[in-house]
């Protein structure tokens, strides 16, 4: 203890004159190391390891934690100066510390370690991005919180598990909206328990973006980056909830911290596609795919799901059907990988193959491909339309309603306009199709709506650049 504070390392709590003091988990770890080695100079690296473990953060995060601890201590007679800065060496705890003897049984130690051990196991399961592992992680984090309800990191873990479960079902007729709501609840609770946790704010940003709160999503992800600027996960989350130049910057900053991360390259490529800079998009995708050449699927920590699909769409927009089909076939090699987005991406890839076969005049092969898309994602609106064009709609399936999404919610106005435009395009009304999409883009809020327009396989806008000039120009402006 250091009067009037008592720091209990076993129960992981700080009190002042017997009253609990609110302190975040990371601040507590830093304080425990400083107090435990009172009078000694503690290197910054040791303090960062204590507070953040294997999470890559910089000195700024530690400085903020020290500043917060000083403000907290300054409310009491001990004063803020008790944590001394030793230039170019680290920090030292300068107050007199009285050590109170306390012994814990082996059983008690096991109880104290249990939630932290479970958290490590759950986080490792989430890193796989595989369906079965994510479902198991959800149960692990729920169990941790039953024993340690104020453990902010466990709330973060449960929020991430729940949002991943939602993402796996987001294209289904009945997505897991209950998991989305639970993710939002636990992400907010994590931020309340540890407002200095970048991981908590990054998770909240990603979750509330999926609820439609895009402005607050960007604000939360930006706060995460400010708190922990050297954490690649936060930069990636900021990229995923942003658009235009902001997405590009965050994606490239992610790649600086984690080179060759495929999904960061994919996010950057989407902006270039919207700008109709297909050469730049192709270069991004090629960079994301380069590390996979000659590597077995089991040897990659992050699978490049969706990169071959988008590359195939670019080839198809240029009229290179052979290279497009080759890229699509490579994408389908990951269809059964169990990765978070593999099933949805497989559906989009089969739809693209159907559109390719349709323009080749191979109605039977096109119908088969559209059917495979629907087998992966029932109710896929563009694949339904493709089947109808082939004269073989899915059993009991009407022409897709442009106002209805296949994700259990009303689809966005721009997505609805794209479906309606595709119906008009196959009927030969190209100018009307372009007008409908242009009107929808003009009315849309800030964001990435309609980013795929330039390479959408049924619309084939590259074949009629004069007809589609207005919506394409509007899309470029929105992505700037």
């Amino acid at each position: 203890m250091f009067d009037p504070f008592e720091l209990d390392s076993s129960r992981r709590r700080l009190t002042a004159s017997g009253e609990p003091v609110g302190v975040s988990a990371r601040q507590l770890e830093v304080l425990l190391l400083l107090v435990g080695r009172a009078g000694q100079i503690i290197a910054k690296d040791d303090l960062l390891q204590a507070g953040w473990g294997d999470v890559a953060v910089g000195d700024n995060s530690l400085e903020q934690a020290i500043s917060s601890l000083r403000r907290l201590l300054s409310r009491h007679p001990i004063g803020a100066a008790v944590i001394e800065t030793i230039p170019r060496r680290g920090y030292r705890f300068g107050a007199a510390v009285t050590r109170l003897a306390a012994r814990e049984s082996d059983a008690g130690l096991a109880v104290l370690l249990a939630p932290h051990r479970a958290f490590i196991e759950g986080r490792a399961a989430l890193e796989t991005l595989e369906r079965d592992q994510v479902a198991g992680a959800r149960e692990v984090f729920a169990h941790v919180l039953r024993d340690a309800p104020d453990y902010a990191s466990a709330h973060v873990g449960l929020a991430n598990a729940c949002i991943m479960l939602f993402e796996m079902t987001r294209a289904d007729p009945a997505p897991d909206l209950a998991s989305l709501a639970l993710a939002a609840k636990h992400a907010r609770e994590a931020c309340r328990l540890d407002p200095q946790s970048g991981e908590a704010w990054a998770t909240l940003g990603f979750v509330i973006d999926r609820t439609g709160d895009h402005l607050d999503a960007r604000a939360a992800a930006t706060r995460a980056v400010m708190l922990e600027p050297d954490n690649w996960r936060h930069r990636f989350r900021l990229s995923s909830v942003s658009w235009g130049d902001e997405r590009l910057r965050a994606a490239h900053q992610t790649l600086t911290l984690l080179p060759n991360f495929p999904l960061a390259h994919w996010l950057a490529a989407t902006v270039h596609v919207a700008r109709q800079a297909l050469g730049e998009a192709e270069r991004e995708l090629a960079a994301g795919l380069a590390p996979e050449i000659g590597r077995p699927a089991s040897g990659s920590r992050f699978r490049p799901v969706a990169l071959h699909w988008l590359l195939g769409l670019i080839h198809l927009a240029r009229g290179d059907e052979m290279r497009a089909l080759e890229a699509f076939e490579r994408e389908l090699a990951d269809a059964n990988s169990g990765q978070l987005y593999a099933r949805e991406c497989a559906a989009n890839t089969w739809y693209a193959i159907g559109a390719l076969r349709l323009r080749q005049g191979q109605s039977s092969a096109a119908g088969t491909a559209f059917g495979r898309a629907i087998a992966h994602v029932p109710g896929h609106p563009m694949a339904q339309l493709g089947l109808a064009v082939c004269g073989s709609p899915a059993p009991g399936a009407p022409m897709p309603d442009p106002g209805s999404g296949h994700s259990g919610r009303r689809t966005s106005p721009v997505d609805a306009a794209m479906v309606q435009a595709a119906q008009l395009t196959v009927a030969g009304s190209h100018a009307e199709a372009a007008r409908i999409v242009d009107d929808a883009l003009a009315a849309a809020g800030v964001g990435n709506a309609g980013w795929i327009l330039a390479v959408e396989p049924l619309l084939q806008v590259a074949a009629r650049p004069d007809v589609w000039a207005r919506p394409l120009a509007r899309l470029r402006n929105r992505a700037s």
Side-chain angles (χ1 to χ4, degrees), residues 178-262:
S179 286
L180 177 60
L182 198 60
K185 172 186 173 182
H186 286 283
R188 292 185 186 280
E189 184 64 13
C191 292
R192 281 190 282 266
L193 288 169
D194 189 357
Q196 299 304 310
S197 168
E199 194 171 0
W201 287 104
T203 300
L204 179 63
F206 185 72
V207 170
I208 63 177
D209 181 71
R210 291 302 188 259
T211 68
D213 191 351
H214 305 305
L215 180 60
D216 279 355
R218 295 200 305 277
T222 300
R223 177 171 172 80
V225 168
M226 291 177 64
L227 288 169
E228 297 172 1
D230 297 329
N231 190 313
W232 69 265
R233 293 175 179 84
H234 306 345
R235 300 280 183 181
F236 176 67
R237 288 281 175 84
L238 177 58
S239 180
S240 71
V241 302
S242 302
W243 187 234
D245 285 337
E246 188 177 12
R247 171 172 284 193
L248 283 175
R249 281 194 301 272
H252 291 152
Q253 288 163 351
T254 301
L255 291 165
T256 298
L257 297 168
L258 185 68
N260 303 320
F261 183 38

Side-chain angles (χ1 to χ4, degrees), residues 165-468:
L165 289 172
F166 167 77
E167 289 287 281
M168 291 174 189
T169 66
R170 66 179 187 172
D172 291 344
D176 191 354
L177 297 177
S179 286
L180 177 60
L182 198 60
K185 172 186 173 182
H186 286 283
R188 292 185 186 280
E189 184 64 13
C191 292
R192 281 190 282 266
L193 288 169
D194 189 357
Q196 299 304 310
S197 168
E199 194 171 0
W201 287 104
T203 300
L204 179 63
F206 185 72
V207 170
I208 63 177
D209 181 71
R210 291 302 188 259
T211 68
D213 191 351
H214 305 305
L215 180 60
D216 279 355
R218 295 200 305 277
T222 300
R223 177 171 172 80
V225 168
M226 291 177 64
L227 288 169
E228 297 172 1
D230 297 329
N231 190 313
W232 69 265
R233 293 175 179 84
H234 306 345
R235 300 280 183 181
F236 176 67
R237 288 281 175 84
L238 177 58
S239 180
S240 71
V241 302
S242 302
W243 187 234
D245 285 337
E246 188 177 12
R247 171 172 284 193
L248 283 175
R249 281 194 301 272
H252 291 152
Q253 288 163 351
T254 301
L255 291 165
T256 298
L257 297 168
L258 185 68
N260 303 320
F261 183 38
L263 290 180
H265 284 291
W266 187 88
L267 287 173
T270 62
V271 178
H272 293 308
V273 169
R275 294 175 176 178
Q276 296 109 63
L278 299 188
E280 288 296 323
E282 184 176 3
R283 279 186 282 276
E284 283 284 357
L285 296 170
L289 291 167
E292 299 299 314
I293 297 175
R295 178 188 296 177
S298 59
S300 178
R301 181 184 177 194
F302 300 108
R303 298 297 298 150
V305 171
L307 274 74
H308 283 297
W309 163 71
L310 186 52
L311 186 60
L313 291 181
I314 292 171
H315 291 322
L316 192 56
R318 290 171 170 164
D320 193 338
E321 296 178 353
M322 184 177 297
R323 292 181 70 193
L325 191 58
E326 180 184 347
F328 294 148
E329 289 172 348
R330 290 183 178 179
E331 185 66 52
L332 291 174
D334 268 335
N336 298 316
S337 68
Q339 199 267 1
L340 197 64
Y341 299 106
R343 181 171 62 93
E344 181 180 344
C345 196
N348 290 334
T349 302
W350 277 114
Y351 156 66
I353 293 173
L356 185 158
R357 295 306 187 196
L358 197 61
R359 69 175 66 179
Q360 291 175 334
Q362 301 180 31
S363 295
S364 178
T368 298
F370 290 135
R372 296 290 294 273
I374 290 173
H376 281 284
V377 174
H380 192 296
M382 289 295 203
Q384 281 186 331
L385 175 60
L387 275 177
V389 172
C390 293
S392 55
M399 287 285 282
D401 174 7
S404 297
H406 58 288
S407 60
R409 295 164 290 169
R410 297 291 294 179
T411 193
S412 76
V414 174
D415 288 342
M418 297 275 279
V419 176
Q420 188 178 1
Q423 293 174 339
L424 290 165
T425 295
V426 297
S429 301
H430 303 286
E432 180 63 10
R435 184 193 64 77
I436 286 173
V437 172
D438 186 51
D439 289 347
L441 288 171
V446 175
N448 65 350
W451 70 269
I452 201 171
L453 177 63
V455 294
E456 210 297 315
L458 272 184
L459 293 178
Q460 298 186 61
V461 302
R464 293 175 175 80
D466 53 333
V467 173
W468 287 93

Side-chain angles (χ1 to χ4, degrees), residues 4-22:
F5 293 94
E6 182 173 335
L7 182 59
D8 190 331
S9 59
S10 62
R11 293 176 174 79
R12 313 195 64 74
R13 68 180 183 183
L14 178 67
T15 59
S17 303
E19 294 297 320
V21 176

